[in-house]
Amino acid sequence: MNRPETRRNGQRVARRDFVKLGGAVAAGVASAGLFDPRFAHAATSKTSAETVVAELYASLSEKQKKAIWRPFDHQDRRKINANWHVTKVTIGDDLFSKQQQTLIDQIVRNITSKDGYERLIQQMDEDDGGMENYSVAIFGEPGTDQFQFEMTGRHLTMRADGNRVDKAAFGGPIVYGHGEENPSDNLFFYQTQKTNEVFQALDADQAEAALLKKAPRETAVQLQGAGGKFPGIAVSKLANDQKELVESTLKVLLAPYREEDVDEVMAILKSSGGLDQLHMAFYQEEDLDDDKVWDIWRVEGPSLVWHFRGAPHVHAYINIGVKS
């Protein structure tokens, strides 16, 4: 996967570094400059994100719980939006101690890959001044069968649930994006480039089936199940080498996330018929630079929806699970 750019418009990107703590972080390593990617994933992966969520929860005062704790069945846990705050407080508020801010950072590290963490830190810095301006909530009680950590803000909804939300990858729908409108400067343009490799490998008849005029709403990511109707070309109709391209594309799309979440995605996909049940659609509208590198695309099947709107900038909505 491409490494994230560290320069923008000729200037070095400033990464926020508001958490500095001389003691040990949750995973047992000293931290300094935690939002510097040099330190990303320095902590061992033996400490799960959910273990750190439990530590964060145990450290909360009653005042803090009132601000960020919600019952597990609270309606906000099911909300998806490209720009919203799950709670009124932000991570950088005085409400949280430096130790708690460090734990939050550790949770984010542990639900991402190294490359995914670095991209996320740069995206949050460029889109809204850094992680300190994003919000978190804890739904339910860590240690029980029903709990979830959620972080939201501009171009972001991400979760940690330890697979406690049955048959829902990532614990439910997630969102990512980036406000940079120049494709070459957007942190996720590499995903469009990779997806378009599939389109470029199609013959004329396949391309006609895959290329559509107008995309559905970006938030239209409800799972349809086995009886659904999906846009674009069915992967089952592709040749073996084309299917291999689709498979490698999925690996690239999933690379920013931790291994256990990727494994859950693949298990859910397999349970609903595998790769052959997916469809891929590309959309002619908003073709940036008129270069026929289709900036809006969608991968969908009975248990997976990945809607990527790359114009005028990236909003991506992902929902992967088994329809109940």
Side-chain angles (χ1 to χ4, degrees), residues 61-324:
S61 67
E62 289 304 314
K63 181 180 179 181
Q64 291 172 323
K65 284 184 180 179
K66 186 175 181 180
I68 72 166
W69 183 84
R70 302 287 185 271
F72 185 77
D73 59 357
H74 194 282
Q75 61 183 5
D76 283 353
R77 189 175 61 83
R78 298 176 177 85
K79 183 176 179 179
I80 53 172
N81 191 288
N83 189 6
W84 74 295
H85 286 267
V86 66
T87 58
K88 293 181 179 179
V89 296
T90 60
I91 297 167
D93 284 349
D94 292 339
L95 180 70
F96 298 107
S97 69
K98 295 298 183 184
Q99 175 76 33
Q100 289 170 328
Q101 292 168 339
T102 299
L103 292 174
I104 292 169
D105 175 75
Q106 190 65 46
I107 294 164
V108 175
R109 294 183 187 199
N110 286 4
I111 56 178
T112 55
S113 66
K114 183 176 185 296
D115 179 84
Y117 177 87
E118 293 176 3
R119 289 181 189 277
L120 182 61
I121 292 302
Q122 184 171 340
Q123 176 266 313
M124 289 189 289
D125 184 77
E126 294 184 2
D127 281 349
D128 203 13
M131 190 188 290
E132 62 264 44
N133 294 314
Y134 288 69
S135 297
V136 298
I138 295 175
F139 296 90
E141 295 190 17
T144 69
D145 288 338
Q146 292 187 323
F147 83 90
Q148 186 171 112
F149 169 91
E150 186 168 350
M151 184 167 81
T152 71
R154 186 161 189 245
H155 295 147
L156 184 68
T157 295
M158 62 192 312
R159 309 169 191 268
D161 79 319
N163 295 341
R164 285 172 172 79
V165 179
D166 189 36
K167 300 177 181 178
F170 306 111
I174 60 174
V175 179
Y176 65 94
H178 189 203
E180 177 57 63
E181 295 189 3
N182 184 338
S184 63
D185 291 333
N186 194 289
L187 287 165
F188 301 103
F189 181 60
Y190 75 95
Q191 295 183 349
T192 288
Q193 292 175 308
K194 180 62 180 177
T195 306
N196 271 262
E197 287 182 15
V198 177
F199 184 82
Q200 292 159 8
L202 302 178
D203 64 31
D205 290 338
Q206 292 171 330
E208 184 178 1
L211 186 60
L212 308 176
K213 289 185 178 181
K214 186 172 177 61
R217 290 180 296 107
E218 62 184 44
T219 56
V221 292
Q222 295 76 18
L223 297 172
Q224 297 188 55
K229 295 183 179 180
F230 312 115
I233 188 167
V235 173
S236 61
K237 295 183 178 180
L238 301 182
N240 287 338
D241 59 337
Q242 294 171 320
K243 289 181 181 181
E244 289 175 1
L245 265 179
V246 174
E247 184 177 13
S248 67
T249 296
L250 281 180
K251 290 179 180 178
V252 167
L253 297 182
L254 290 166
Y257 306 105
R258 61 178 172 176
E259 185 176 348
E260 49 263 55
D261 283 335
V262 174
D263 289 344
E264 185 178 15
V265 169
M266 300 313 293
I268 289 171
L269 185 61
K270 183 178 180 180
S271 72
S272 63
L275 204 68
D276 278 352
Q277 300 303 309
L278 297 178
H279 287 63
M280 294 191 70
F282 303 82
Y283 297 94
Q284 292 176 311
E285 64 176 319
E286 297 194 70
D287 176 20
L288 297 176
D289 299 328
D290 294 322
D291 57 4
K292 299 190 186 309
V293 175
W294 310 114
D295 298 286
I296 302 177
W297 45 267
R298 188 175 176 99
V299 184
E300 186 170 8
S303 61
L304 180 151
V305 185
W306 200 299
H307 185 100
F308 189 100
R309 189 209 78 181
H313 60 261
V314 170
H315 285 185
Y317 289 75
I318 299 91
N319 191 7
I320 303 170
V322 178
K323 184 180 179 181
S324 57

